[in-house]
Amino acid sequence: MMLPKKVKLVEVGPRDGLQNEPTPVPTAVKVELIHRLQDAGLRVIEATAFVSPKWVPQMADNAQVMAAIRRKPGVAYPVLVPNRKGLEGALAAGAEEVVVFGAATESFSQKNTNCSIAEGLARFAEVARGALARGLRVRGDISACLGCPYEGDVSPEAAVRVARALDEMGCYEITVADTIGVGTPGKTREVFEAVSKHIPPERLAGHFHDTYGQALANTYAALECGIATFDSSVAGLGGCPYAKGATGNVATEDVLYMLNGLGIETGIDIEKLIAAGDYICGVLGRATHSKAARALAAKKAA
Ligand code: HMG
Ligand code: MG
């Protein structure tokens, strides 16, 4: 199988990466991070989430973040939207792209969005209709495709059912997510092959958390299935508040290092990306989770 020549990296650090931080991250820091990421060449940056501030307090400054971003031509700033109220907030903030986020399992849907899969899909259809009618783009995420923190093993058909529903409501791209990072490459291949029977691989994306150290291997397995869009988080920040124990997304720096090694084009400058990771790790007072960033920093220092 030929690997794609170009890959689009969707930076989810400012949203997935920060949503689980226990202490409030100042709005100005989030905005500075987004600016540094776009200067590094990222063309899609998930900026924030229009979710309930009671559920995810860290995203309560969503409107302020959107107002303060210096929007760069050619860069998209998708925002998470779970329902009509979220869409109203996103529209008022001038969002041009929204992300609806469902789950492959009933338990995860309940814990994350307080509704069943079917109820969630009905809300997303309403969000999608409203967003598309105003000329916005709509992306769809599916959590717990490779394993569920509450139900364990998940069949590929569960992801297929939700993916087809998101496709029917007009999502231009659908993300198959391993929320708790339990998947392995064989399982990744299985789920992408199953979903690709209904939605072409060019319209699918991978979103791998690295809890079990499998995210890069899973990324490679997905590349072999023709997937050319991946979500990742600078410095490997993040985790979902409703998936206990799950760690951050695969680090953008690590995915980029691998793609550079494979000769796959991304348009991203690794030095500037590492500097963006250093910036946010400095503010949060912790070391990066990116092995490539650590190794390149050590090499530079030597
Ligand atoms: P609910 O409590 O059932 O909502 O939550 P409700 O409709 O009953 O409303 C209750 C209150 O929330 C009301 O306020 C609403 O106005 C307010 P009150 O009258 O009590 O003052 N409310 C809102 N406020 C602001 N924005 C909104 C909104 N909606 C209602 N959009 C709800 C349902 C979906 C809102 C809630 O469960 C929620 O916000 N969940 C989001 C959880 C979340 O953000 N999780 C993390 C992101 S997903 C993720 O990380 C996975 C991903 O990375 C992929 C992967 O790795 O798997 C994407
Ligand atoms: Mg996630």
Side-chain angles (χ1 to χ4, degrees):
M1 169 90 211
M2 292 266 289
L3 299 181
K5 289 193 170 35
K6 274 189 188 176
V7 156
K8 177 174 79 178
L9 291 185
V10 175
E11 173 60 49
V12 297
R15 194 278 306 168
D16 204 342
L18 296 179
Q19 68 185 8
N20 212 20
E21 280 299 317
T23 46
V25 177
T27 305
V29 169
K30 295 173 181 173
V31 171
E32 174 68 17
L33 176 62
I34 291 169
H35 289 165
R36 285 174 183 246
L37 291 165
Q38 65 190 16
D39 289 345
L42 269 308
R43 288 289 164 267
V44 189
I45 304 172
E46 234 177 51
T48 184
F50 285 83
V51 297
S52 162
K54 287 184 193 140
W55 284 63
V56 186
Q58 191 63 255
M59 296 288 112
D61 62 350
N62 41 31
Q64 292 89 317
V65 169
M66 290 302 282
I69 299 171
R70 191 176 62 241
R71 296 190 198 190
K72 191 170 170 174
V75 177
Y77 307 91
V79 297
L80 261 57
V81 165
N83 54 16
R84 191 195 307 160
K85 176 145 186 161
L87 178 63
E88 284 163 9
L91 288 170
E96 291 173 344
E97 179 169 337
V98 297
V99 183
V100 291
F101 52 103
T105 67
E106 289 294 347
S107 317
F108 195 78
S109 178
Q110 286 291 352
K111 297 278 188 197
N112 199 39
T113 46
N114 204 26
C115 65
S116 68
I117 294 176
E119 284 163 335
L121 289 173
R123 292 177 191 174
F124 304 152
E126 187 191 2
V127 168
R129 265 196 310 277
L132 292 169
R134 289 167 180 85
L136 276 70
R137 298 197 343 140
V138 184
R139 194 176 196 240
D141 283 4
I142 313 169
S143 286
C145 290
L146 296 177
C148 173
Y150 310 101
E151 295 182 24
D153 218 24
V154 178
S155 77
E157 286 66 40
V160 168
R161 278 194 293 274
V162 180
R164 292 184 73 177
L166 293 174
D167 179 41
E168 275 164 25
M169 62 183 80
C171 292
Y172 76 95
E173 191 165 271
I174 293 164
T175 306
V176 169
D178 185 7
T179 314
I180 53 170
V182 286
T184 47
K187 178 93 187 178
T188 301
R189 173 180 289 279
E190 225 181 289
V191 71
F192 275 108
E193 281 176 352
V195 179
S196 299
K197 288 199 180 109
H198 305 275
I199 297 149
E202 306 82 64
R203 289 186 41 226
L204 297 176
H207 176 116
F208 303 112
H209 285 260
D210 200 30
T211 319
Y212 287 77
Q214 303 298 301
L216 266 190
N218 292 342
T219 303
Y220 193 82
L223 280 170
E224 287 188 321
C225 296
I227 306 303
T229 301
F230 296 95
D231 296 1
S232 60
S233 172
V234 67
L237 295 173
C240 176
Y242 299 101
K244 292 270 170 288
T247 61
N249 295 83
V250 65
T252 310
E253 298 90 323
D254 293 356
V255 180
L256 181 60
Y257 181 84
M258 179 176 83
L259 296 174
N260 284 348
L262 290 165
I264 295 174
E265 238 180 89
T266 60
I268 301 165
D269 179 325
I270 197 157
E271 295 284 334
K272 287 186 179 170
L273 176 63
I274 290 173
D278 287 346
Y279 165 73
I280 190 65
C281 288
V283 173
L284 298 175
R286 77 171 64 117
T288 179
H289 292 299
S290 164
K291 288 192 172 172
R294 284 207 297 267
L296 290 168
K299 192 174 162 193
K300 219 177 194 174

